[in-house]
Amino acid sequence: MIRKYLILFLVTFNVLLTYSQTLHVLLFVNEQEQGREIDRRADMRNMYKFWGDIAGNIGYEYSPVKCTPSTFTAFNIDKEIRELSIEKNDIVVFYYSGHGYNDESDIWPSLNLLDRNYRQIDIMKKIKGVSCNAKLILCIADCCNKQLTSSYDFTASYDALEDNNALTELFKGFKGKKSIIMSASKQGQYSWSHKQYGAYYGNCFRQVLSRLSISNPTWDIVLNEISDLTLKYTERKQKPQFNITQSGDPFEN
């Protein structure tokens, strides 16, 4: 009997060790965006699965939040950020897909939500404010830096994720902490999407990470590769941008 309980304890302990950290993902996708409903549903479906695959690959528990058509609001973004419970070395991802534009206050887009517009840089600041324990923060705006509805031919998706030491190294194998803000296009540019695969940038993001195999990968290398692939598929009309902050403990706003 004692041996039975000991085995049960060890199994439970090992499970807790395996999932001692959490990958928190906030998915705000406008699935009812007029003229792009199919594209956006593809974004939500693909990103939900992709981040779950990432969590499993790096040994993190997966904690996703998906907005609904009625909760695609700045109010609910603030609510979900406030309710985050970030433990040491957790990872936080915010992903937005919908209309965006640039208000010329900075190089990052403003996100067009149901109740109001919300600057991406302000969302990043709020996430940092509740994420002092996080190992990594990714704030992704997959949208225009001005508005347009169009698409190019696009026929690629991403490979299924398998056990990949390079991904673990990318997400956890760096000293200190990082916060990364990224948008699908530079100030003054459009962002493009495909009805089957969703946004080009989001799909390029998934492709590059799913095929990652280099030794000692860095976010700078990976995000530049994503940028190059996005340029290729959009005939050099859409260039993503990013900024990486290396921080101590806690994050500074």
Side-chain angles (χ1 to χ4, degrees):
M1 181 64 70
I2 294 176
R3 184 172 180 271
K4 178 180 178 182
Y5 283 116
L6 179 59
I7 292 172
L8 180 62
F9 170 79
L10 290 173
V11 169
T12 304
F13 183 71
N14 284 333
V15 169
L16 290 173
L17 282 179
T18 302
Y19 295 104
S20 57
Q21 283 85 38
T22 301
L23 174 61
H24 306 266
V25 179
L26 305 182
L27 297 169
F28 277 79
V29 178
N30 187 1
E31 296 183 87
Q32 293 189 333
E33 182 180 333
Q34 188 172 1
R36 279 187 164 180
E37 294 91 341
I38 297 174
D39 311 37
R40 296 304 179 218
R41 288 170 194 151
D43 285 337
M44 180 66 90
R45 180 178 64 253
N46 291 333
M47 281 298 182
Y48 180 82
K49 180 180 184 303
F50 175 74
W51 289 112
D53 290 345
I54 289 288
N57 195 283
I58 65 175
Y60 272 46
E61 182 180 349
Y62 184 38
S63 179
V65 172
K66 296 166 60 177
C67 80
T68 65
S70 63
T71 61
F72 184 72
T73 63
F75 176 85
N76 278 285
I77 288 176
D78 285 344
K79 173 178 175 292
E80 296 300 341
I81 291 173
R82 284 196 307 270
E83 292 180 356
L84 286 171
S85 179
I86 309 301
E87 301 296 332
K88 186 176 180 180
N89 290 328
D90 281 1
I91 295 172
V92 183
V93 176
F94 173 85
Y95 175 80
Y96 171 90
S97 179
H99 275 306
Y101 73 100
N102 189 277
D103 63 7
E104 299 185 354
S105 63
D106 56 47
I107 65 171
W108 305 105
S110 287
L111 316 184
N112 185 214
L113 296 140
L114 294 179
D115 52 348
R116 66 179 177 90
N117 297 320
Y118 206 157
R119 296 167 68 234
Q120 184 189 9
I121 194 70
D122 292 333
I123 294 173
M124 178 58 126
K125 288 177 181 177
K126 289 201 172 182
I127 295 172
K128 283 185 176 183
V130 300
S131 303
C132 62
N133 289 322
K135 177 71 172 176
L136 175 67
I137 298 173
L138 304 177
C139 182
I140 306 168
D142 204 347
C143 63
C144 294
N145 248 340
K146 63 181 182 179
Q147 294 178 329
L148 184 70
T149 302
S150 186
S151 65
Y152 281 114
D153 246 354
F154 192 54
T155 57
S157 188
Y158 74 95
D159 300 330
L161 285 172
E162 300 177 355
D163 289 343
N164 188 331
N165 292 332
L167 278 176
T168 301
E169 183 72 15
L170 180 69
F171 278 85
K172 302 193 295 183
F174 54 87
K175 293 182 179 179
K177 299 179 178 181
K178 291 184 189 295
S179 60
I180 307 174
I181 186 170
M182 59 193 88
S183 62
S185 55
K186 294 181 69 174
Q187 184 176 4
Q189 291 185 333
Y190 305 126
S191 182
W192 307 82
S193 65
H194 185 277
K195 291 189 180 302
Q196 181 177 354
Y197 300 111
Y200 289 107
Y201 176 73
N203 199 64
C204 291
F205 190 96
R206 295 189 296 270
Q207 279 191 58
V208 171
L209 265 67
S210 67
R211 299 171 185 174
L212 190 64
S213 61
I214 60 174
S215 299
N216 302 315
T218 68
W219 279 102
D220 188 72
I221 292 172
V222 167
L223 293 175
N224 276 306
E225 185 175 346
I226 293 168
S227 179
D228 290 343
L229 192 59
T230 305
L231 279 168
K232 172 186 173 183
Y233 282 126
T234 60
E235 299 177 356
R236 306 195 68 79
K237 294 182 178 180
Q238 178 185 337
K239 181 175 175 58
Q241 62 181 358
F242 62 89
N243 181 265
I244 302 173
T245 302
Q246 180 77 38
S247 179
D249 186 10
F251 280 115
E252 298 177 358
N253 286 331

